[in-house]
Amino acid sequence: MRALASLTRQLWLGTTAVGATDFNTTAQQVLKDLQIATPKIIGFFAATKTQLAGAAIYAIAQCAETVSESGCLDCLTVGYNNIEVCLPNTEGRAFDAGCFMRYSETAFFADNQTIDITPFLQQGSSSKKGAIIGGVVGGVALIVILLALIALLRWYKKPKKVRRGDILGATDLKGPVSYRYKDLKAATKNFSEENKLGEGGFGDVYKGTLKNGKIVAVKKLILGASGKIDDQFESEVKLISNVHHRNLVRLLGCCSKGQERILVYEYMANKSLDRFLFGEVKDSLNWKQRYDIILGTAKGLAYLHEDFHVCIIHRDIKTSNILLDDEMQPRIADFGLARLLPEDQSHLSTRFAGTLGYTAPEYAIHGQLSEKADAYSFGVVLLEIVSGQKNSELRTDANGEFLLKRAWKLYEEERHLELVDKKLDGEEYDVEEVKKVIEIALLCIQASAGARPTMSEVVASLKGKNSLGQIRPSMPVFVESNFRTRPADTSTSTASSTSNATASISMLSAR
């Protein structure tokens, strides 16, 4: 059973819970507690697991970090009222631009992600504060009382936020910073070649130094002359600027001037992963760094697909779109203009905008886009990280095989370790861990989208919480084209469109 009330932005799934009365009562209390506690928690995020007889209730609540504590409470109050009508169904969700709530009888996060919200439910702090203030005021002179009153007046005399009159009445998200064109022009030295970081199908990227000394990445978009540019640009940029995760490059702001649209991102000094894997940077990545990059990238994608209040599909995951911060942690770039998947559709058809070699066959050939297209691309990237070989290049040895065919052949023959990059020291990695990573990669590049794991399942497996190894992968597929792929760029820009290419699906055994 599935019902969707689009006007109230509710979604309830599954069937009526076994022991509906107990489930209903417990779930109501869990959601009420989350509504109260979440605004008091740094980061505005809480996840809980509550045991029932023979079952459990998994629940989360989250607000955008850009809203205030009171704004978060207001939004979750409305969210609670909406999600409450989903009970006693086994799963329900309520969301808006400012917040998101979800409960389920099925685990959708790892147990170690839960937090104890009890301390945030305790009352009485306000009365204690009042007693202290009363005692102090009662024992001081009139001048001190007057000074205290003046201080209180200044404290409370703050400008009130203007609320958006949407259907849920939730607090509006904070919009992206609006940069002036002349400031960005000056920051990038008039978008000079010496400041160019890279090129891509959606525009060029430049290094910019703002007046306050902050270094940023400035992307000049190429969006064409569509009459819908303004609406699409404003709505999508506003949404994406509120996506905050440690493994995603943050969109800081934007600029519009005439037909030009510019995005301003965090600057990543280490640039992109492909520079470290394929020889531009002399220092090789060790296995721990590679494993951290794999896990961090998976976490970033899982957040985009499942944890943000709208499902965001990247469409172009590849090594040049994975940037590295100062601590060599991965940050996924170029999801700023990604298509958004509606909650009530399993996939949507759209113009192809990926990179052949990384692209799932159902998307490249039929234009069918879902989260599993990102899972496929992730699988290819994972094999590149393990092997140090580009998927689009033939090996220079006698076999001369492409990466995906080579990986499958070695897996079938149980010779996994021969795929590992020869630059890695055999003493520094765990053999079983490497095997697990390779098998996860092969599961991600299965021909059928339904056979691929979700990114949250990948994260759980990488963290050792469960194993995908019990599911043996079948022979993967890849997409080939009638043209030679150009070298991958090292920018924060999206890959070039391949709409003029002729693509076909090939089974690996046929190569």
Side-chain angles (χ1 to χ4, degrees):
M1 172 181 158
R2 175 186 175 113
L4 176 66
S6 60
L7 290 179
T8 57
R9 301 187 188 181
Q10 304 155 341
L11 179 69
W12 55 95
L13 307 169
T15 57
T16 301
V18 177
T21 302
D22 290 342
F23 184 91
N24 193 74
T25 302
T26 304
Q28 278 184 327
Q29 187 59 53
V30 168
L31 294 169
K32 190 69 176 176
D33 289 347
L34 282 173
Q35 171 203 338
I36 296 169
T38 303
K40 303 176 183 178
I41 298 172
I42 296 175
F44 295 154
F45 175 80
T48 64
K49 176 185 176 182
T50 305
Q51 287 294 149
L52 285 172
I57 297 175
Y58 297 83
I60 65 170
Q62 182 175 21
C63 292
E65 292 184 5
T66 49
V67 303
S68 64
E69 180 178 330
S70 61
C72 178
L73 179 60
D74 291 344
C75 188
L76 289 177
T77 300
V78 178
Y80 171 79
N81 291 334
N82 284 314
I83 200 172
E84 189 180 17
V85 303
C86 300
L87 294 168
N89 276 36
T90 56
E91 181 169 349
R93 307 180 195 182
F95 60 91
D96 189 56
C99 63
F100 174 69
M101 298 186 82
R102 178 182 177 185
Y103 74 88
S104 178
E105 203 174 50
T106 303
F108 58 95
F109 53 81
D111 284 357
N112 65 356
Q113 292 179 305
T114 62
I115 64 172
D116 181 13
I117 63 173
T118 306
F120 302 99
L121 300 175
Q122 295 174 356
Q123 302 295 323
S125 59
S126 296
S127 60
K128 289 180 182 178
K129 184 184 293 184
I132 294 171
I133 293 175
V136 172
V137 170
V140 297
L142 179 60
I143 186 66
V144 178
I145 296 176
L146 292 175
L147 289 174
L149 289 173
I150 292 172
L152 286 172
L153 286 172
R154 287 179 179 176
W155 175 261
Y156 287 108
K157 195 175 180 181
K158 289 186 176 181
K160 299 290 173 63
K161 287 189 176 181
V162 178
R163 296 197 178 194
R164 175 168 54 96
D166 64 7
I167 52 180
L168 285 185
T171 303
D172 194 6
L173 287 174
K174 180 181 178 181
V177 174
S178 181
Y179 290 90
R180 295 189 301 179
Y181 182 82
K182 68 176 185 178
D183 291 339
L184 296 180
K185 186 176 179 180
T188 58
K189 297 181 180 178
N190 197 19
F191 302 101
S192 65
E193 285 295 318
E194 66 178 282
N195 276 42
K196 184 179 285 189
L197 297 173
E199 299 177 352
F202 279 101
D204 299 336
V205 183
Y206 301 85
K207 180 180 179 180
T209 304
L210 302 176
K211 291 180 179 179
N212 61 5
K214 184 179 179 64
I215 300 176
V216 294
V218 180
K219 181 185 297 184
K220 294 185 71 175
L221 298 176
I222 302 173
L223 296 177
S226 169
K228 296 182 179 180
I229 285 179
D230 288 334
D231 290 341
Q232 292 175 345
F233 185 77
E234 289 182 10
S235 61
E236 294 194 15
V237 167
K238 185 171 185 178
L239 178 70
I240 301 304
S241 66
N242 284 278
V243 178
H244 302 303
H245 190 276
R246 66 168 300 178
N247 297 118
L248 301 174
V249 176
R250 186 176 178 185
L251 175 63
L252 302 177
C254 60
C255 172
S256 297
K257 181 178 175 61
Q259 284 295 309
E260 288 201 84
R261 300 293 181 270
I262 300 173
L263 300 178
V264 181
Y265 290 97
E266 290 178 296
Y267 175 73
M268 297 292 137
N270 284 319
K271 299 183 180 178
S272 55
L273 174 60
D274 61 335
R275 297 171 65 247
F276 289 86
L277 289 178
F278 308 131
E280 184 179 331
V281 178
K282 292 182 180 180
D283 295 331
S284 176
L285 296 169
N286 61 41
W287 175 249
K288 183 182 184 306
Q289 288 174 319
R290 297 187 195 212
Y291 195 83
D292 288 345
I293 290 169
I294 290 168
L295 178 58
T297 303
K299 287 179 177 179
L301 285 173
Y303 179 83
L304 289 175
H305 293 173
E306 302 174 37
D307 293 336
F308 193 53
H309 70 271
V310 177
C311 175
I312 300 176
I313 304 172
H314 189 289
R315 297 192 298 167
D316 198 22
I317 292 296
K318 56 183 180 179
T319 52
S320 60
N321 278 340
I322 299 172
L323 307 186
L324 300 174
D325 64 18
D326 293 339
E327 298 178 349
M328 298 299 289
Q329 292 299 307
R331 301 285 196 95
I332 300 172
D334 284 353
F335 61 90
L337 295 177
R339 297 278 181 166
L340 305 183
L341 181 66
E343 283 275 5
D344 58 348
Q345 294 185 20
S346 60
H347 73 269
L348 62 92
S349 296
T350 182
R351 180 179 65 83
F352 177 78
T355 302
L356 289 178
Y358 294 92
T359 310
E362 73 276 5
Y363 181 34
I365 306 303
H366 303 295
Q368 294 180 346
L369 178 63
S370 71
E371 306 99 308
K372 296 302 183 71
D374 280 351
Y376 182 97
S377 303
F378 174 79
V380 177
V381 168
L382 206 157
L383 291 176
E384 289 185 324
I385 293 173
V386 171
S387 67
Q389 177 188 344
K390 289 184 180 180
N391 78 88
S392 59
E393 291 184 354
L394 284 168
R395 293 261 303 172
T396 55
D397 58 20
N399 294 326
E401 295 171 324
F402 283 102
L403 175 60
L404 270 62
K405 179 180 179 181
R406 179 169 169 248
W408 174 251
K409 178 181 176 181
L410 293 174
Y411 167 76
E412 279 192 306
E413 298 173 359
E414 296 187 355
R415 296 157 52 204
H416 300 63
L417 297 185
E418 293 183 33
L419 187 68
V420 177
D421 192 340
K422 296 299 184 287
K423 289 181 287 188
L424 286 173
D425 182 352
E427 299 294 324
E428 72 177 20
Y429 56 80
D430 179 81
V431 171
E432 294 305 315
E433 188 172 71
V434 170
K435 287 183 177 180
K436 179 174 72 171
V437 168
I438 293 172
E439 290 171 7
I440 290 173
L442 291 173
L443 285 169
C444 287
I445 58 175
Q446 294 294 283
S448 169
R452 300 171 204 151
T454 64
M455 293 311 303
S456 60
E457 289 173 335
V458 169
V459 170
S461 183
L462 288 170
K463 294 171 69 174
K465 299 303 178 184
N466 64 9
S467 176
L468 297 175
Q470 298 173 353
I471 308 172
R472 286 186 61 83
S474 58
M475 185 182 299
V477 297
F478 71 100
V479 180
E480 63 178 4
S481 68
N482 66 352
F483 68 99
R484 190 177 298 275
T485 306
R486 73 177 185 176
D489 60 67
T490 59
S491 69
T492 58
S493 58
T494 306
S496 59
S497 170
T498 54
S499 57
N500 294 326
T502 300
S504 62
I505 298 177
S506 296
M507 297 301 293
L508 293 179
S509 60
R511 296 292 294 174

